[in-house]
Amino acid sequence: MFILYYLKKIYMKHYTGIINELLEKRYSPLSFDQKAVEEVKIMRLFEAARWAPSSRNEQPWRFIYATRNNKEAFQNMFDCLFEGNKIWAKNVPLLILSVAKSVSSFNGKPNPYALHDTGMAVGNMLVQATDMGLVVHQMGGYDKEMARKNLCIPEEYEPVAMIAVGYLGKTDDLPEDLKKREKAERKRMQLDEITFKKSWKGV
Ligand SMILES: Cc1cc2nc3c(=O)[nH]c(=O)nc-3n(C[C@H](O)[C@H](O)[C@H](O)COP(=O)(O)O)c2cc1C
């Protein structure tokens, strides 16, 4: 049993790190440059999101966004962030809020895939952003009720993730604790912890 366990670990290790380079390169940085994101790149992010698959092609994702140039609109979004996120997001030039249409357009019932599909659209966005030299840091740490109110989100839509987008900044500009966090090793569960061949019980 013990030997089998280690053999599986060695086998799974073989696949670690052999993935598309955009997926490998992407991470969620804490240091952002103040440089604005070009309008054409912003639109490409949304175009990438638009082509995500979705249950019954409902396309439940919506995106509210503001650039730092639009002072009032940007502040409306920034104000929603929890304090811990405001600290590192102070230079972020573009904020996007992903929103999911939680009610199905087909039958008016709750769409159980709304969050899943919205996350997939954001996944597309992440790959496109990385390909264009941008960095992205998503946040669940924001006040959803404030977002609903500040951004006039209708009841049948659910605010999902606040998404900071921009160019990578200098780590040196971060406070000490965040510098440490930025440099910390990125960890993931092992393949054998998240995959189950044949059934939950394994082989
Ligand atoms: C839905 C979601 C919510 C998140 N919320 C926050 C957050 O509020 N603050 C934060 O600093 N990071 C947040 N993160 C970033 C995660 O901590 C990060 O993705 C995770 O640690 C893995 O690191 P990586 O993206 O660099 O691979 C969030 C990520 C996701 C997908």
Side-chain angles (χ1 to χ4, degrees):
M1 202 61 194
F2 222 55
I3 292 169
L4 263 182
Y5 172 80
Y6 279 107
L7 278 179
K8 192 178 175 194
K9 270 220 174 305
I10 291 165
Y11 175 73
M12 291 298 196
K13 200 107 190 144
H14 180 67
Y15 292 101
T16 315
I18 312 173
I19 54 167
N20 181 284
E21 66 183 60
L22 290 176
L23 300 177
E24 223 171 272
K25 201 170 151 193
R26 184 216 63 81
Y27 74 108
S28 308
L30 295 168
S31 40
F32 279 75
D33 198 278
Q34 286 181 358
K35 179 178 154 69
V37 179
E38 299 82 342
E39 188 67 19
V40 63
K41 289 193 178 179
I42 298 176
M43 287 304 133
R44 271 187 206 147
L45 292 177
F46 295 131
E47 183 62 11
R50 198 165 76 86
W51 285 103
S54 61
S55 169
R56 296 205 278 196
N57 202 18
E58 283 224 34
Q59 303 162 65
W61 47 76
R62 302 290 185 272
F63 301 101
I64 301 173
Y65 71 104
T67 60
R68 199 171 278 277
N69 304 340
N70 302 123
K71 276 200 175 93
E72 201 181 322
F74 189 87
Q75 200 60 45
N76 257 344
M77 295 184 78
F78 193 84
D79 284 347
C80 299
L81 301 183
F82 288 167
E83 290 308 315
N85 287 327
K86 277 182 182 165
I87 295 170
W88 62 259
K90 67 179 188 343
N91 286 339
V92 165
L94 168 64
L95 281 174
I96 301 173
L97 178 69
S98 64
V99 178
K101 184 169 191 263
S102 19
V103 174
S104 164
S105 310
F106 289 99
N107 53 22
K109 289 184 181 161
N111 175 5
Y113 301 105
L115 291 175
H116 172 90
D117 294 348
T118 301
M120 282 209 291
V122 174
N124 272 15
M125 213 185 246
L126 296 185
V127 175
Q128 182 65 35
T130 311
D131 194 41
M132 296 189 301
L134 295 168
V135 290
V136 180
H137 194 140
Q138 299 171 79
M139 289 166 273
Y142 69 97
D143 185 329
K144 295 186 178 60
E145 277 322 302
M146 189 191 279
R148 187 180 282 289
K149 192 161 156 264
N150 282 9
L151 310 173
C152 312
I153 299 169
E155 215 170 286
E156 65 274 26
Y157 291 81
E158 183 181 343
V160 186
M162 198 67 92
I163 306 168
V165 185
Y167 290 94
L168 192 60
K170 290 196 188 92
T171 311
D172 290 349
D173 298 340
L174 289 170
E176 278 311 311
D177 55 331
L178 293 186
K179 251 186 228 170
K180 235 187 213 170
R181 210 177 122 194
E182 182 83 311
K183 288 178 181 161
E185 186 197 352
R186 289 175 66 227
K187 290 190 179 145
R188 286 297 190 271
M189 291 164 77
Q190 297 302 316
L191 283 180
D192 61 349
E193 294 175 276
I194 59 166
T195 60
F196 304 88
K197 198 169 184 176
K198 295 186 187 166
S199 86
W200 194 269
K201 288 182 179 170
V203 199

